[in-house]
Amino acid sequence: MACLLKSTISKSDCRPFWVVVLLLGISAENTQAKTVLAVPQHVSLSANYPTQQLSISWFGGKATIFEIIILRTEFNETVFYDTVSAVVNQDGGQHQWTWTSVEPLECTSLSVKICSREGNARSEWSEPQILEGRDIPSNSDAQMYPHSKVVSVGSNTTFCCIVAEGMELKKIYYGGTLMNVTRLSRRSYATTAVNQTASRPSGTNVFCLPHGRNVISGAVIFVGYPPRPRKLSCETQDLISAVCHWDEGPDTNLQGNRTTRYSINNRYCPQKSCGTPQWDGSWTLVAVNPLGQYTLTDSAELDHRVCPVEPVNLTAVVQIFNVTVDWKWKYDYSNHELVCQVELVSSNTTLRNFSGKGLHSVVLLDLHFDEEYRVKVRCGSQKHFWKWGSWSKAVTFKTKPYVPDSPDVWLWVNRDSGQIIWKPLTRWQSRGQIKGYQVTFWSPGENEPSVKFLSAGNNFLSVNLTRWASFSGDNKLNATVTVKAVGGVSRPSNVPLRLTANFQPGVRYNFSLYSCPSDFPVLMRRWIGYMQELVPSSSVNLETTQQDCDVVLTWDEIPLANRRGFLQGYNVYISNGSQLILLANLNIGTRTYTVKGLSGSTHKFTVKAYTSAGEDTGGTAAISMKECGDGLILEILASLGMVTLLLVTAAYFCYKKRGWVKKAFYPDIPEPKLPGDWSRTRGPLDLKPAPHSMVNIIEKPERDLIKDALIAIAEEEEIDAGDGIGDEPVDTDEPQSLRYYNQVVDERPIRPRFPDSSVSSSSSVDSANTDVTYTGIQTSCSSLVFPSDSQSPSEVFQPHHSLPVSSGDRGGGYQPQMHPVASASSEPLEEPQALSSGGYKPQSSWLLDSPREADEKMSPTHSLGSPTSVSSSQFLLPDGEEHKEERQASSSAAAWFTNLLTSAKP
Amino acid sequence: MAEQEEQPLTRSEAPVPGSTQTGRAVALARLLQRECSQLLQLYKERETFLLDHAPDGGRMVSLSTESEEPSAEEQVQLLHSALRQCLGLLHCLIKKEEEEWGKLEQEYETLKMHVKTRLERLLYTTRDLVGNEDGTLEVTPDHQCNEEVDGPFGLKMWTYNVLLELIHWADHAEKTLHVLHTEKGGTEEI
């Protein structure tokens, strides 16, 4: 084409024109090629059967997007159809794409077709390319795929069974499970095992059974895990090379051809441990099986990883009770600090540690005599201990016997017979087999001791003490015991045969126990005792003493010599004629006893001490009781009689002289005249003015408002209502009432009575006779002014603003001895000293004689100095709550006294 | 099971009724046949698919005889040759299984070794029965172990056939040796 174009241009005169025409022609041709995509050419298939991957390659022009369809050839079933973007090989322009099949590629033939695509344009399909399966007619045998796949636990695997030519499939089994089957072609059938569990070492069988013939085709699948080794550690035994060990970790369930292969630093390890000829310092373990690989690393210095080999050629050289154990080393540890552990086994097992550079011998001390031992040794590095090496083979040795220990010997006496007893030696004390015992009787004066031999099984010798005593006379007889054993004869153990048979009952002895085997007896214990206890030989010295109506018994201790046993206590008896009645059993520390509530004249007591043998005869004492108890009662009765007599006398005197008493203490008070309407306008004091009540208004008659509040109390009504009124509770919310008392006009100051508590409205009622006299006598604030509002009503009577008796502007009630002009001052209420003083308060503080003076001074006190006053013979009750009861009592007493006088009026 | 296996080994060495060499050979062959059957039973318990599979009857070990009616001693010689092949097959089986599976169940592995030992002992017995003055009879395995098995499943099928072959030849040995024992005047009951 290029040549043709060149010759054409050279033969023409219109070169530019033809060039343009040709270029346009070429351009038009290219445009037509773009619209018609090239069909992929040279499609080729490459199968990777183990991975079930099909690699498809083709030449597809300039297209980058292709459509691929894969069909099962026989049934023309679509397995795959999709648009793919294929990789282009830059060198040859070849496209390549890989498809992974669910079924093994051997199962049936596959057809592959490709077309190019650009936008909506698509080329024609390429010619189908076929990957032949193993079910083609030429391969008529029965088969199953995959043959022997290795998969991880939990994965899914699809198998296919190709039945033999002319056969029909009957069943497919996965292990013992009958599977569902999908037909892929005329002879090929597929089934899928899902979520597979771990298989046995010989795998899980998958097989198909055809109809008609008993020909089995099958496969084996291995389901397991990738390797997971752990705990890699490398150590040295010869101080040169390294040996690495590791734990294989969880079972992979894969064996044989599929087992895990290990390598250390790229050296294959046929065993589960692996060595390197030199100490590399760091190691990498790679574990590989068909399902994956795993890597572990370890690094260490040689000195830190020394594990000595087991000691060899162990020998034991026995001394008497020591042994020297020697051994040899396979490698040279002479410059290495070792710590070795020796296990010593006899009746028990002990471990002893020794250390030293290149240690190869140890001495075992303090072994038991005549004892068989088994010993073995292992060692480790002392400086940087890594682990113990292996135990050596054990060797056995036996220590030699030796002189036995001296036995513990003592004498057991029962009247004139006795036994020399010695404690059997233990295995360690005998230090060898015991042959027998030798008992020697000797006395210092005798030259020829008597000797007896006993065999090994004996541990006592009976003796006739009386006979030996007659032989020895006054000499002290001794017995000596020695032990004869394989290792020799023990030192003798002595026991003196002191025949002290004169123990008396009831005699107190001091006993001392000495250890006998040594030549110098050692005191081991000392105690006091009686051979036999008796009752005390004397009784207590009893004394009696009367205290009021009680009798105290006391007695002394019994002398030690007379006790004849250990006193255990005292019994106290009282004699009831011919017999003794036990009163008390006292412990030994008590020597006094009080007998209470006695009556009568004479009593006889007995106190007996007792030991384990019984009571003594007892100490007796008698006592004649004096009168007790009635004198006090008589004295009380006499006193009461005297008081009664005095009261009667006083009452009689008062009755006879009642006129004088009334005049002196309770003169009549003139009744106030009530010019206005004295009816009650406000609530709290609901009293009617008695007809004989009289109010003398001396000055300031213009105080009508105050008068309006004055309420007089009828005397008769008071009397009628007097009983029990004083006990009524105080209602402080109620308007306080003014009380008018019988007044004795004398020189004494007027004392306002606090109408608190029980004496509020009710107490005004129980006034027997109320006379109010305005005599120009002024009261001081301390006697008339009520406490301010700031004070507790419970402590001080506190008139409310609605009270008939109040100060200044407090209102509309009757206000005796008040300044006519309301000062509107609360200062009088602020007189704490007067208000807080306790006890009754005589009305002795009248300071001003006239209201004028009070006006001039303009003081609250003066304002109270009103010519209107109340004179009363009653005492002022004390302030404060602490005197509440007292006030009540005083009030009650006053009321009673008033009533008495009133009733005594002629 | 181990005790049951240990006991026959002792019996094989003990004098059998009749106390003849042929009688001991017959007992040994009978013992081999019993152990081979036990081994097959164990194998089928593991590979259960074989329960549904019947052998096709083909022989892996074949005999070639020149005479049409061989004597009892000639039959023993033929038997000896067949047993050598069986021992070769067993050696091959042990090798292949070890490569493919590693160590399998302890009971199966132990019984397999017992069968091997018993077969070797029977070979020595048959050699001694027919006389070996010239040293022509060997007791070594006679098998190349060059079979191509088709994967693990093929190995299982092949193993099954080998075990069947062992049972067949153990049974054949018992019969052959019993004939020889009878000819040599041994008692019927052994």
Side-chain angles (χ1 to χ4, degrees):
Chain A
M1 184 79 179
C3 294
L4 179 62
L5 183 62
K6 187 176 179 181
S7 61
T8 306
I9 292 173
S10 60
K11 292 178 181 178
S12 176
D13 292 333
C14 303
R15 288 179 183 173
F17 173 78
W18 285 111
V19 170
V20 171
V21 171
L22 281 173
L23 290 175
L24 288 174
I26 293 169
S27 175
E29 188 177 355
N30 289 339
T31 303
Q32 188 177 4
K34 282 183 181 175
T35 55
V36 180
L37 292 174
V39 177
Q41 301 293 325
H42 306 295
V43 176
S44 63
L45 305 177
S46 174
N48 185 338
Y49 290 101
T51 61
Q52 300 179 189
Q53 287 183 328
L54 179 62
S55 181
I56 307 166
S57 58
W58 67 94
F59 291 93
K62 295 182 179 179
T64 57
I65 297 175
F66 302 90
E67 289 184 2
I68 298 178
I69 186 168
I70 302 174
L71 307 165
R72 293 193 184 104
T73 306
E74 279 195 33
F75 290 170
N76 204 29
E77 290 175 341
T78 301
V79 182
F80 176 83
Y81 174 63
D82 205 350
T83 302
V84 301
S85 178
V87 178
V88 182
N89 187 341
Q90 296 298 328
D91 294 337
Q94 189 179 33
H95 296 80
Q96 187 169 0
W97 185 77
T98 301
W99 171 67
T100 302
S101 173
V102 174
E103 295 103 15
L105 296 176
E106 299 94 333
C107 292
T108 188
S109 299
L110 299 173
S111 300
V112 179
K113 294 191 292 185
I114 306 171
C115 71
S116 303
R117 182 168 181 174
E118 186 172 348
N120 293 327
R122 190 169 68 177
S123 72
E124 295 293 326
W125 286 104
S126 66
E127 288 298 319
Q129 195 69 23
I130 296 176
L131 176 70
E132 283 193 346
R134 303 292 168 87
D135 60 343
I136 56 177
S138 58
N139 190 0
S140 61
D141 293 338
Q143 306 149 71
M144 175 159 263
Y145 297 97
H147 271 304
S148 56
K149 197 171 184 179
V150 183
V151 296
S152 296
V153 171
S155 60
N156 304 332
T157 306
T158 298
F159 302 88
C160 67
C161 175
I162 303 173
V163 298
E165 193 68 52
M167 304 295 294
E168 289 291 332
L169 180 71
K170 181 181 178 184
K171 298 170 185 173
I172 295 181
Y173 283 94
Y174 179 91
T177 307
L178 180 63
M179 305 295 287
N180 295 324
V181 175
T182 303
R183 190 166 191 173
L184 303 179
S185 69
R186 185 174 56 87
R187 292 172 52 204
S188 184
Y189 301 85
T191 187
T192 301
V194 298
N195 193 19
Q196 296 169 102
T197 57
S199 60
R200 299 172 304 171
S202 58
T204 301
N205 301 316
V206 188
F207 56 96
C208 53
L209 298 174
H211 277 290
R213 290 178 60 189
N214 188 20
V215 176
I216 292 179
S217 59
V220 180
I221 187 163
F222 301 90
V223 187
Y225 300 91
R228 285 288 182 275
R230 56 195 177 191
K231 299 178 183 177
L232 171 66
S233 69
C234 299
E235 61 193 24
T236 182
Q237 291 186 320
D238 57 2
L239 306 181
I240 298 173
S241 64
V243 178
C244 297
H245 306 272
W246 61 88
D247 187 312
E248 290 183 306
D251 187 10
T252 61
N253 286 83
L254 303 176
Q255 289 185 194
N257 288 336
R258 294 151 295 277
T259 192
T260 305
R261 318 280 177 184
Y262 297 96
S263 64
I264 291 270
N265 290 356
N266 297 321
R267 295 184 184 90
Y268 173 66
C269 300
Q271 306 293 328
K272 299 301 181 280
S273 64
C274 206
T276 57
Q278 298 297 325
W279 186 262
D280 293 339
S282 63
W283 302 267
T284 300
L285 170 71
V286 178
V288 182
N289 77 359
L291 296 178
Q293 74 172 37
Y294 198 81
T295 302
L296 281 177
T297 59
D298 184 31
S299 61
E301 296 179 16
L302 187 144
D303 289 345
H304 296 197
R305 295 289 179 88
V306 177
C307 178
V309 294
E310 63 175 71
V312 294
N313 299 337
L314 215 65
T315 59
V317 180
V318 181
Q319 289 85 38
I320 297 176
F321 51 86
N322 297 335
V323 64
T324 302
V325 179
D326 298 299
W327 62 86
K328 295 187 182 306
W329 291 112
K330 181 180 177 183
Y331 302 112
D332 182 13
Y333 296 141
S334 58
N335 292 323
H336 194 75
E337 291 285 348
L338 294 173
V339 55
C340 293
Q341 196 169 57
V342 179
E343 185 189 80
L344 202 58
V345 180
S346 57
S347 57
N348 57 354
T349 300
T350 58
L351 290 173
R352 301 186 186 187
N353 286 350
F354 302 88
S355 61
K357 185 175 286 187
L359 195 64
H360 58 84
S361 177
V362 296
V363 178
L364 306 176
L365 303 175
D366 301 329
L367 303 180
H368 292 301
F369 296 95
D370 196 33
E371 179 76 5
E372 186 171 296
Y373 289 93
R374 187 162 51 88
V375 65
K376 59 183 180 179
V377 182
R378 65 177 179 179
C379 297
S381 182
Q382 186 186 22
K383 193 174 180 181
H384 302 286
F385 184 83
W386 165 240
K387 62 167 67 170
W388 289 111
S390 300
W391 284 106
S392 69
K393 292 180 180 175
V395 296
T396 303
F397 61 89
K398 187 174 183 180
T399 55
K400 296 177 181 177
Y402 196 64
V403 177
D405 283 350
S406 299
D408 284 338
V409 181
W410 66 96
L411 180 67
W412 181 81
V413 178
N414 185 11
R415 297 183 184 279
D416 58 347
S417 66
Q419 287 182 339
I420 298 169
I421 304 173
W422 54 93
K423 191 175 181 180
L425 295 181
T426 64
R427 186 179 175 187
W428 314 130
Q429 291 171 330
S430 63
R431 298 172 178 172
Q433 187 179 4
I434 295 176
K435 294 180 176 178
Y437 301 93
Q438 176 179 307
V439 182
T440 306
F441 297 93
W442 61 278
S443 65
E446 297 290 333
N447 291 328
E448 294 183 359
S450 174
V451 178
K452 282 186 175 295
F453 294 97
L454 291 94
S455 60
N458 296 298
N459 69 325
F460 69 91
L461 176 64
S462 298
V463 294
N464 188 327
L465 296 174
T466 306
R467 191 168 69 87
W468 282 107
S470 63
F471 288 163
S472 62
D474 294 335
N475 293 330
K476 294 180 179 178
L477 186 62
N478 293 285
T480 299
V481 179
T482 55
V483 182
K484 288 189 173 181
V486 176
V489 179
S490 71
R491 289 189 302 164
S493 296
N494 296 321
V495 57
L497 304 180
R498 290 186 171 71
L499 310 177
T500 54
N502 296 324
F503 287 116
Q504 298 295 323
V507 176
R508 186 185 184 95
Y509 293 100
N510 290 325
F511 296 93
S512 300
L513 176 65
Y514 292 87
S515 61
C516 297
S518 65
D519 295 334
F520 303 97
V522 177
L523 178 64
M524 297 178 68
R525 187 183 168 195
R526 177 173 287 163
W527 70 97
I528 298 170
Y530 295 86
M531 293 304 294
Q532 181 184 357
E533 292 192 44
L534 301 176
V535 298
S537 60
S538 65
S539 303
V540 298
N541 184 19
L542 182 63
E543 293 180 359
T544 58
T545 308
Q546 179 178 358
Q547 288 183 354
D548 296 332
C549 294
D550 303 336
V551 175
V552 178
L553 307 178
T554 56
W555 58 92
D556 296 331
E557 282 187 327
I558 297 176
L560 196 63
N562 297 340
R563 292 181 186 175
R564 303 201 299 176
F566 294 108
L567 290 182
Q568 296 181 350
Y570 300 98
N571 288 331
V572 181
Y573 297 93
I574 185 169
S575 176
N576 182 15
S578 59
Q579 61 180 1
L580 297 176
I581 300 173
L582 180 64
L583 291 179
N585 175 255
L586 307 175
N587 59 34
I588 191 63
T590 306
R591 294 203 306 277
T592 182
Y593 183 71
T594 301
V595 186
K596 296 182 178 179
L598 289 176
S599 61
S601 58
T602 302
H603 299 280
K604 188 178 179 181
F605 300 97
T606 300
V607 175
K608 296 182 177 182
Y610 61 94
T611 65
S612 63
E615 295 178 328
D616 62 5
T617 55
T620 303
I623 186 171
S624 296
M625 297 290 290
K626 298 175 183 177
E627 289 297 329
C628 64
D630 297 338
L632 181 61
I633 299 174
L634 292 176
E635 288 177 359
I636 294 171
L637 291 175
S639 301
L640 289 174
M642 291 295 290
V643 171
T644 305
L645 184 60
L646 286 174
L647 290 175
V648 170
T649 305
Y652 180 75
F653 176 77
C654 290
Y655 180 74
K656 285 297 185 183
K657 299 293 182 181
R658 61 185 179 275
W660 174 80
V661 171
K662 183 175 186 299
K663 183 179 180 182
F665 298 104
Y666 199 74
D668 291 338
I669 299 173
E671 296 178 355
K673 295 179 179 178
L674 304 176
D677 183 11
W678 285 81
S679 62
R680 180 180 172 190
T681 58
R682 298 182 64 176
L685 189 59
D686 189 13
L687 297 176
K688 297 177 180 178
H692 55 273
S693 298
M694 181 179 64
V695 177
N696 295 326
I697 306 302
I698 299 173
E699 290 182 1
K700 304 296 180 183
E702 64 275 13
R703 288 182 57 89
D704 294 339
L705 292 174
I706 300 174
K707 289 176 184 175
D708 292 342
L710 181 63
I711 300 171
I713 303 170
E715 189 175 3
E716 291 77 9
E717 290 177 2
E718 279 189 300
I719 295 170
D720 295 338
D723 297 335
I725 290 177
D727 297 333
E728 291 178 8
V730 176
D731 186 2
T732 55
D733 292 335
E734 292 293 326
Q736 300 297 317
S737 300
L738 175 64
R739 294 192 56 177
Y740 301 94
Y741 300 98
N742 296 333
Q743 183 177 26
V744 177
V745 180
D746 57 5
E747 297 299 324
R748 294 178 299 175
I750 297 173
R751 298 183 178 94
R753 178 175 177 179
F754 280 29
D756 65 335
S757 73
S758 63
V759 198
S760 59
S761 61
S762 59
S763 63
S764 63
V765 175
D766 67 4
S767 176
N769 192 0
T770 303
D771 291 334
V772 180
T773 303
Y774 292 89
T775 59
I777 300 172
Q778 296 180 345
T779 62
S780 70
C781 62
S782 63
S783 59
L784 277 181
V785 174
F786 294 106
S788 66
D789 291 339
S790 62
Q791 289 182 290
S792 170
S794 63
E795 294 177 348
V796 179
F797 171 70
Q798 187 174 6
H800 293 193
H801 63 276
S802 60
L803 282 174
V805 177
S806 64
S807 63
D809 57 352
R810 291 221 172 176
Y814 164 67
Q815 297 179 335
Q817 298 178 353
M818 300 294 288
H819 194 279
V821 178
S823 65
S825 172
S826 60
E827 289 181 3
L829 299 177
E830 298 173 358
E831 185 69 29
Q833 187 175 1
L835 297 173
S836 62
S837 61
Y840 74 88
K841 298 173 181 178
Q843 297 173 329
S844 59
S845 303
W846 301 96
L847 300 178
L848 300 176
D849 292 333
S850 68
R852 187 179 299 277
E853 292 176 11
D855 291 340
E856 289 173 355
K857 296 194 176 183
M858 291 298 288
S859 74
T861 306
H862 298 157
S863 69
L864 292 174
S866 170
T868 303
S869 63
V870 175
S871 176
S872 174
S873 62
Q874 299 294 328
F875 298 131
L876 291 176
L877 295 177
D879 298 336
E881 193 175 8
E882 64 272 16
H883 300 297
K884 185 177 180 180
E885 293 181 358
E886 185 181 347
R887 290 198 305 268
Q888 289 174 346
S890 300
S891 176
S892 299
W896 175 81
F897 192 60
T898 303
N899 291 338
L900 176 66
L901 295 178
T902 305
S903 63
K905 276 183 179 180
Chain B
M1 190 66 189
E3 290 179 0
Q4 292 173 354
E5 291 158 3
E6 199 61 37
Q7 188 178 7
L9 280 175
T10 307
R11 282 178 56 192
S12 67
E13 295 167 359
V16 294
S19 300
T20 62
Q21 195 173 11
T22 52
R24 293 185 59 176
V26 172
L28 197 58
R30 188 176 297 162
L31 203 55
L32 176 66
Q33 197 274 344
R34 190 186 307 162
E35 288 178 345
C36 288
S37 299
Q38 290 175 354
L39 187 63
L40 179 64
Q41 184 62 30
L42 277 181
Y43 187 72
K44 290 170 80 171
E45 285 175 7
R46 171 154 53 87
E47 309 298 345
T48 53
F49 73 95
L50 294 171
L51 297 173
D52 298 328
H53 181 66
D56 54 7
R59 293 267 72 85
M60 300 175 76
V61 174
S62 58
L63 293 177
S64 60
T65 176
E66 295 177 353
S67 59
E68 293 181 354
E69 293 184 359
S71 64
E73 288 191 353
E74 287 173 341
Q75 287 183 1
V76 172
Q77 286 183 350
L78 290 173
L79 172 67
H80 181 85
S81 174
L83 291 178
R84 282 186 63 201
Q85 293 182 52
C86 287
L87 182 63
L89 280 174
L90 185 57
H91 276 228
C92 186
L93 182 148
I94 292 170
K95 175 171 171 283
K96 285 181 180 294
E97 282 196 331
E98 172 72 21
E99 289 174 354
E100 185 66 41
W101 320 119
K103 288 293 179 186
L104 293 171
E105 297 83 2
Q106 182 65 34
E107 188 179 3
Y108 174 77
E109 294 288 349
T110 303
L111 189 54
K112 200 164 60 176
M113 290 301 122
H114 282 173
V115 169
K116 174 173 162 286
T117 305
R118 196 82 63 202
L119 185 54
E120 288 171 347
R121 188 172 296 276
L122 185 60
L123 276 171
Y124 280 103
T125 302
T126 52
R127 184 194 65 177
D128 295 340
L129 282 176
V130 295
N132 189 29
E133 292 80 7
D134 53 356
T136 54
L137 289 180
E138 296 180 1
V139 291
T140 53
D142 182 17
H143 186 73
Q144 297 299 317
C145 194
N146 51 8
E147 292 91 349
E148 289 290 336
V149 293
D150 189 13
F153 193 80
L155 176 60
K156 290 183 178 182
M157 294 295 290
W158 180 81
T159 302
Y160 178 58
N161 290 329
V162 169
L163 295 179
L164 289 173
E165 199 72 8
L166 289 176
I167 292 173
H168 169 78
W169 286 108
D171 185 59
H172 182 76
E174 182 192 355
K175 291 175 182 173
T176 304
L177 292 171
H178 190 268
V179 171
L180 180 63
H181 174 68
T182 306
E183 285 187 359
K184 290 197 172 183
T187 58
E188 290 289 333
E189 295 296 329
I190 298 175

